[in-house]
Amino acid sequence: MSYFQQLCYEMIPGTATTPKAKVRIVSTRGSTGTKCPRWHVDHVPVRWIQSLVGPGCDYVVDEIVINREALNALDLVDELSTEELNKLIVATSSREAICQSPEGQAVILMGQSGYNAPCVHKSPDLNMFQGRVLMTMDVVLPDNIEKRKCSIKNAVDWETII
């Protein structure tokens, strides 16, 4: 948690402003309940994602396998299925470039407004009756604060005890 706080303070010039966080807990069951099945980046400075029950999120650790043009091409959304888009955004032959956080472990992902090359991630594929409880925590920066890009790596595994 202290690492997450450090990231928050790095994004706000000066120490007078305390960053605020928005926390969300979501439960899903099966593939139809998957909240974010497509590879994407978050439009927040930094996000803590932790699976309390079930598999954690899938995230890309090797920038070379990401097709950022396809990632940002919203006009393809209506033309292609989620599976087709995922194959286009991240090369499927590169499974070693994709990590999945285990149950109970948090990942801290830099988002679109917090890093020059934000972390690409998605919800894991779930079996029909497999359940998942996920907690996310986002940094919420005040509107009057100039947002700074963070120089820290785009994804960091952080072991936590539940």
Side-chain angles (χ1 to χ4, degrees), residues 84-101:
E84 291 170 321
L85 280 169
N86 283 342
K87 287 179 182 178
L88 188 61
I89 295 168
V90 175
T92 56
S93 61
S94 305
R95 278 308 292 178
E96 64 276 356
I98 300 169
C99 289
Q100 184 180 80
S101 59

Side-chain angles (χ1 to χ4, degrees), residues 28-157:
T28 59
R29 181 170 300 278
S31 60
T32 57
T34 303
K35 297 295 182 198
C36 300
R38 179 180 162 199
W39 290 110
H40 66 283
V41 297
D42 294 324
H43 295 277
V44 296
V46 63
R47 176 170 283 170
W48 171 295
I49 302 176
Q50 183 173 9
S51 173
L52 304 175
V53 175
C57 76
D58 294 339
Y59 58 97
V60 180
V61 293
D62 190 355
E63 182 71 24
I64 200 163
V65 302
I66 301 170
N67 179 346
R68 291 213 178 254
E69 286 182 25
L71 180 68
N72 297 324
L74 295 176
D75 56 334
L76 295 176
V77 173
D78 294 333
E79 299 172 18
L80 300 174
S81 70
T82 297
E83 186 177 320
E84 291 170 321
L85 280 169
N86 283 342
K87 287 179 182 178
L88 188 61
I89 295 168
V90 175
T92 56
S93 61
S94 305
R95 278 308 292 178
E96 64 276 356
I98 300 169
C99 289
Q100 184 180 80
S101 59
E103 182 175 334
Q105 183 174 339
V107 290
I108 298 171
L109 306 177
M110 301 308 291
Q112 182 94 3
S113 61
Y115 193 70
N116 293 328
C119 188
V120 176
H121 63 285
K122 72 177 190 71
S123 296
D125 297 327
L126 299 177
N127 297 327
M128 185 181 296
F129 297 108
Q130 188 175 17
R132 185 170 182 238
V133 178
L134 187 74
M135 182 187 83
T136 62
M137 183 169 29
D138 299 336
V139 174
V140 179
L141 298 178
D143 290 335
N144 62 344
I145 297 294
E146 178 186 337
K147 296 173 178 78
R148 294 192 296 183
K149 297 292 183 183
C150 183
S151 60
I152 298 176
K153 186 178 167 186
N154 69 350
V156 178
D157 289 335

